[in-house]
Amino acid sequence: MKKTLLRDLAATFVLLSLATVLAFLFFHFGHKNSANIALFYILALILISLYTDGYIYGIVAALFGVIAVNYLFSYPYFKLNFTLDGYPVTFIGMLAISLITSAITSSMKRQKHLIAERERKLMDADKEKLRANLLRAVSHDLRTPLTSIIGSSSSYLENYSDLSESERTELVSNIKEDSEWLLNMVENLLTVTRISGNTGKVKKSLEVVEEVVSEAILRLQKRHPDMKVKVTMPNDFLMLPLDATLIEQVLINLLENSFIHSGSREPSDLIITENSDSVTFIIRDYGIGLDEKQLPFIFEGQYSSDSSDGHKGIGIGLSICKTIVQAHDGTITAANHSHGAEFSFTLPKDKEENYAA
């Protein structure tokens, strides 16, 4: 509070002093019209209203300007004289203009603060909504594979002697598949912890796009050896400011969805295009597409697939993709094309920021 008061007083003093010095120079070079001189004080008044808090500094500046024009720049000089012809009208007019200008400027600044505060609250509400959606998606997507694992393991233990070798293998395969799904889920959740909870931003470093894409595909093909991805990207050497681990997770989530939930075994397309100020990643499959009714809410953590393994919802993965992309100041969208589904996300290029080494 004291620091703000001192700052406002200093700003008022400096601006009024500067206006007075400029007015003296203007007056010294033969421009003795007090109306023109008053413009320096009106400009100082506007700046004071912009850079200080409250109306009092603007009012003080207005009074000072009116008195200074009378005392310093109206004959007889260095004397207050309110009997000059027309001066009472000039005095009242200038004071009124100054006060109105101060009030309007202060009001505009207050509205700007209110708008900024409203935007901050909306951002906090969006974060809270996303957190709730993630929690809801986690509770559902964790419960389903866990129930399956418990059921399969119980059947294996309780009916071991009555099961054929193929039935035992099937139960163990189901347990393995659901365990891998849980591992993927945990990786997604751990990925989000890399994003700062206070700022919603990430620590970026300049990374080679080709290396990030290659690492994501290698990690994905370890899980799904049969998966094929057709990559199309510019021949130019591309570097982007990003958190490589997080963007790899986005690519893995979207590519894995295109393989598991599309209902197609055609190769997925990963198309990378360069724009003047950004780079866009497009993941396109050739399967059943997305439910049009769910498209507006697809990144809110509740989307589920219509494929045969639809008990494994993809909502949480898409929510995490959105969280990561937005933390990079990017955008992400989903749509259907004529032969399947298409996800795309765009990341901004280098803006001369300081990146982590």
Side-chain angles (χ1 to χ4, degrees):
M1 183 69 178
K2 185 176 180 181
K3 186 176 180 180
T4 302
L5 176 63
L6 291 175
R7 182 204 66 195
D8 290 345
L9 288 173
T12 303
F13 176 79
V14 169
L15 288 170
L16 288 177
S17 299
L18 183 61
T20 303
V21 170
L22 292 174
F24 265 115
L25 292 174
F26 191 79
F27 188 79
H28 176 72
F29 287 105
H31 303 281
K32 300 185 182 300
N33 189 325
S34 59
N36 293 333
I37 300 254
L39 293 176
F40 289 102
Y41 290 100
I42 292 175
L43 177 61
L45 166 67
I46 294 172
L47 294 175
I48 288 168
S49 299
L50 282 174
Y51 293 107
T52 58
D53 295 327
Y55 291 96
I56 184 65
Y57 302 100
I59 293 173
V60 169
L63 292 171
F64 180 87
V66 171
I67 294 173
V69 170
N70 181 284
Y71 185 75
L72 300 174
F73 304 106
S74 297
Y75 184 85
Y77 305 117
F78 300 105
K79 289 183 180 180
L80 288 175
N81 186 356
F82 296 101
T83 63
L84 294 174
D85 185 33
Y87 187 78
V89 175
T90 304
F91 178 91
I92 294 171
M94 184 180 171
L95 181 60
I97 292 172
S98 300
L99 291 176
I100 291 171
T101 303
S102 175
I104 292 174
T105 307
S106 298
S107 178
M108 291 175 60
K109 186 172 66 173
R110 188 171 67 254
Q111 289 179 6
K112 181 180 177 181
H113 289 163
L114 290 174
I115 291 171
E117 180 66 17
R118 183 183 177 188
E119 290 178 350
R120 186 190 65 78
K121 289 181 178 179
L122 288 174
M123 288 179 62
D124 289 343
D126 287 341
K127 288 181 182 178
E128 187 60 35
K129 183 179 180 181
L130 179 59
R131 190 179 297 113
N133 288 334
L134 285 174
L135 181 60
R136 184 163 47 250
V138 167
S139 63
H140 175 270
D141 285 0
L142 289 182
R143 187 186 301 115
T144 302
L146 281 173
T147 302
S148 177
I149 290 171
I150 293 171
S152 296
S153 59
S154 297
S155 297
Y156 185 88
L157 293 173
E158 294 171 3
N159 305 301
Y160 182 84
S161 58
D162 299 328
L163 295 172
S164 65
E165 188 64 29
S166 61
E167 290 173 330
R168 293 171 188 166
T169 302
E170 183 180 357
L171 285 173
V172 174
S173 297
N174 290 338
I175 292 172
K176 179 177 181 294
E177 181 184 347
D178 286 322
S179 298
E180 288 176 344
W181 181 259
L182 278 176
L183 178 61
N184 183 40
M185 181 80 61
V186 172
E187 286 179 355
N188 271 312
L189 294 174
L190 290 176
T191 295
V192 175
T193 65
R194 294 171 59 87
I195 300 175
S196 170
N198 293 328
T199 63
K201 301 299 179 182
V202 292
K203 291 184 178 179
K204 304 177 187 177
S205 59
L206 285 173
E207 302 284 351
V208 180
V209 172
E210 185 177 0
E211 292 179 359
V212 174
V213 170
S214 298
E215 182 63 26
I217 293 175
L218 285 173
R219 287 175 57 192
L220 188 56
Q221 288 181 332
K222 288 180 181 178
R223 299 179 190 170
H224 308 287
D226 297 332
M227 181 177 183
K228 293 182 174 63
V229 181
K230 180 182 176 183
V231 180
T232 304
M233 64 183 300
N235 294 325
D236 297 338
F237 185 73
L238 278 182
M239 293 190 73
L240 275 179
L242 49 82
D243 184 309
T245 302
L246 294 179
I247 296 303
E248 284 171 19
Q249 192 64 45
V250 173
L251 291 169
I252 288 171
N253 285 356
L254 296 178
L255 287 169
E256 187 170 47
N257 286 344
S258 73
F259 177 70
I260 294 177
H261 299 285
S262 67
S264 170
R265 284 299 171 261
E266 288 189 43
S268 299
D269 284 334
L270 173 55
I271 304 167
I272 301 170
T273 59
E274 182 181 12
N275 309 305
S276 60
D277 57 354
S278 62
V279 173
T280 299
F281 300 76
I282 301 171
I283 294 87
R284 184 180 295 156
D285 65 50
Y286 298 89
I288 60 176
L290 302 167
D291 185 344
E292 293 286 346
K293 293 180 180 178
Q294 295 190 55
L295 270 178
F297 319 103
I298 196 168
F299 295 107
E300 295 186 6
Q302 303 175 57
Y303 187 86
S304 59
S305 169
D306 291 330
S307 62
S308 59
D309 61 348
H311 69 281
K312 295 175 180 178
I314 63 176
I316 186 173
L318 296 179
S319 293
I320 289 170
C321 289
K322 179 181 178 181
T323 301
I324 293 171
V325 171
Q326 286 185 337
H328 283 79
D329 299 316
T331 57
I332 185 169
T333 59
N336 285 317
H337 63 93
S338 56
H339 300 291
E342 179 177 296
F343 288 86
S344 67
F345 64 93
T346 300
L347 300 177
K349 285 184 177 179
D350 188 359
K351 294 182 179 179
E352 303 297 331
E353 300 178 22
N354 294 320
Y355 303 112

